Amino acid sequence: MTDEKTIDATEATETVDLWVAGTEEPQFQPTDEGQQEMFVEETDERLAKQLGSVIDDDYLFDDDVEDDERMIVNMGPQHPSTHGVLRLQIEMEGEVIRRTKPIIGYLHTGMEKTAEQLTFGQGPTNVTRMDYLAPLHGELAYSLAVERLLDIEVPERAAAIRVLMTELNRISSHLVALATNGMDIGALSMMLYGFRERESILAFFEKTTGLRMNHNYIRPGGVAADLPPGWKDDVAAILADLPVRLAQYDDLLKENPIWLSRTQGVGVITQEEAKAFSITGPILRATGVNWDLRKAFPYSGIENYEFDVPVGENGDVYDRYRMRVLEIIESLKIVEQAMDRMPKGDYRIDDRKVTPPPRARIDESMEALIHHFKLFTEGFKVPAGETYVAVESPRGELGCYMVSDGEANPYRMHTRAPSFYNLQALPITMADSLMADTIATIASMDPVMGDVDR
Amino acid sequence: MNPNGEMVLPEVLQALADQFEDVTWLKSHGQDVASMPAELWKPFAEAAKGAGFDFCSDVTAVDWMRQRPERFEVVANLLSMEHGVRLRITTALGRKDPTVDSLTSIWPGAGFGEREAYDMFGISFEGHPDLTRILMPDDWEGHPLRKDFGVGSVPVQFKESHKV
């Protein structure tokens, strides 16, 4: 070891001015009078801003922002409040969002390609997994498309069961929308209540279809099974319970000042924007457009039920929330009517080319067994043709474009997914709004990523 | 269809039919379908918007490989909320470099549907502001919904089986 590399221990300790316990305390220099005064250049205006008596928000309209003040924020895809795997690329200036780009496809599973491999009878198993919060609407659109190509009409009871089940499904889906909407804005009790009430409907679904979600219940030709014994009591219990609960939600949110200030005037979409960007469902109706496919292009005999279409006014987050509450009330009316006048008869069409024979027949008839076997292995052939059928799902126009070339599989099956098209509204809705409103806006759009990406 | 076998179009559509002679009209299960050559795609759409079709529900495509002389068919579902009428417009595109005008300047809402058709079928929409893949990864090769794109499968290996 050479002399240059040795460190002089005494010199090193002297330069560091630290107080060590047991030694003499260092003397602090008191500040002089000049240092105690406020910043000399401080003007009264600047002081008022710092104290908060004058709020400076002109940056909202300031376009001359230098590049280094812009910032790209990636939100998602794994963000709890983006409702699944939605990714947003947001360009910000300070707290203000200038541009947004939704990036989707993280949940893409090629369901339209899969549909081409499955027979028409297997199809509902596939489409029910698209919009997993409203599976019955997906099945309904698919089944209606197949039935139109086959040119068959389902029995009255099957149609009424479909109306009953899809409207219950609308309620359960809107309850989730309310729950997550509340949770995202901070009304956490709403989340617990919404999921609690939805559970009563899912329990009924489980009793009827065998599954809580992904039912494969509505099939071409009718429904998979008749309503279970005692179904009226279950539906009546739901009908008795939900209005009380909805009143409680209103107590919680409707006039809650925090809720109002977070939702009113936030995420506004105008009528023109909504129509131009192909937005449907509660978001369109919240802007004041009276458009509901159940009224415009009725299906499954829904024109025979009495219900109103709630229409909003301002097209903001609050109106969308109100739409969902009011639609639950209207759906309850339909469910009640469907329950009261449930027609007697068969729950599926009596056409052995489409629906399997009854279970009892299979035990005694060889032909019935063969029929059953052929239907579930080869499927049934559908005449060549193409059609587009749309139903009003909780999120808007859920369309099914079906092309058949005369085989047992669809030649092409395309789903017009409402969430997919509704997402186009995000960039225009979020432009020039604050980052803090992003979550409220996304939640009010109620996108289901399974529906978006398919 | 009237008793003479002629097609009866709703009033809204009749005006459009008079305006464009090269458009073929047909009824498909009670729905009106207008097929047109690709160069009429945008002019017809503009006229349709003028006639009250203020809403473009959906844009998609069908691959008719080895079934039709023109391989691709682009399909758009239009809707007139005012009249309560639906109209489906279709155009056929060739196998090589299928290209058609974008409808985004008429209905911005067609944007996502066109991106999906581009992603899934490789159909180009001229004038689209952001024609990029939407569902598949950016570096994906091929267009999955084409009929010559295989479904693919993962071989199932059971524990006791011999290696394939």
Side-chain angles (χ1 to χ4, degrees), chain B residues 78-110:
Chain B
L78 309 181
L79 170 66
S80 169
M81 287 188 178
E82 186 189 340
H83 304 286
V85 178
R86 275 192 196 283
L87 170 65
R88 190 155 63 242
I89 58 174
T90 71
T91 184
L93 301 175
R95 181 175 59 87
K96 268 196 172 176
D97 196 20
T99 308
V100 72
D101 284 331
S102 168
L103 300 182
T104 43
S105 57
I106 306 165
W107 299 284

Side-chain angles (χ1 to χ4, degrees), chain A residues 101 104-105 108 113 116-117 148 275-276 278 280 293 386-388 397 411-412 414 416 420-421 424 454, chain B residues 28-29 31 54 56-61 63 86 88 109 112-113 116 134 136 144 146-147 149 151:
Chain A
K101 188 180 180 189
I104 58 176
H108 177 63
K113 187 83 173 171
E116 292 171 10
Q117 319 301 321
R148 189 177 284 176
K275 280 187 181 177
S278 304
T280 48
L293 289 175
E386 40 128 36
T387 190
Y388 177 81
E397 178 177 332
Y411 187 75
R412 167 110 172 91
H414 172 71
R416 190 263 184 215
F420 180 70
Y421 281 91
Q424 291 187 110
R454 300 173 312 256
Chain B
S28 168
H29 295 274
Q31 294 172 331
D54 50 354
C56 176
S57 284
D58 190 25
V59 180
T60 184
D63 181 3
R86 275 192 196 283
R88 190 155 63 242
F112 267 27
E116 196 191 346
I134 187 166
M136 304 301 289
R146 287 190 177 190
K147 289 285 173 186
F149 192 98
V151 185

Side-chain angles (χ1 to χ4, degrees), chain A residues 10 13 16-17 38 58 80 82 118 141 165 180 193 222 261 268 272 300 306 320 323 372 403 421 423 428 441 451:
Chain A
T10 50
T13 46
V16 181
D17 194 19
M38 293 282 278
D58 59 349
T82 53
L118 301 175
M165 296 297 275
T180 51
Y193 297 157
S261 59
V268 178
E272 289 73 28
S300 295
E306 272 177 35
R320 279 170 233 151
M323 284 306 104
H372 187 275
V403 183
Y421 281 91
L423 265 194
I428 47 160
T441 310
D451 197 26

Side-chain angles (χ1 to χ4, degrees), chain A residues 30-45:
Chain A
T31 48
D32 56 26
E33 279 180 40
Q35 280 172 315
Q36 282 176 347
E37 277 180 23
M38 293 282 278
F39 211 33
V40 194
E41 297 92 60
E42 202 85 85
T43 59
D44 289 344
E45 190 193 350

Side-chain angles (χ1 to χ4, degrees), chain B residues 26 45 48 106 144 148 156 158:
Chain B
L26 61 113
I106 306 165
D148 52 0
V156 180
F158 292 101

Side-chain angles (χ1 to χ4, degrees), chain A residues 246-264 318 321-322:
Chain A
L246 286 173
Q248 290 174 352
Y249 303 161
D250 280 358
D251 288 347
L252 194 67
L253 296 178
K254 195 178 170 190
E255 285 158 11
N256 182 338
I258 303 172
W259 181 261
L260 293 183
S261 59
R262 284 300 308 271
T263 56
Q264 277 187 332
Y318 182 78
Y321 144 73
R322 278 317 289 169

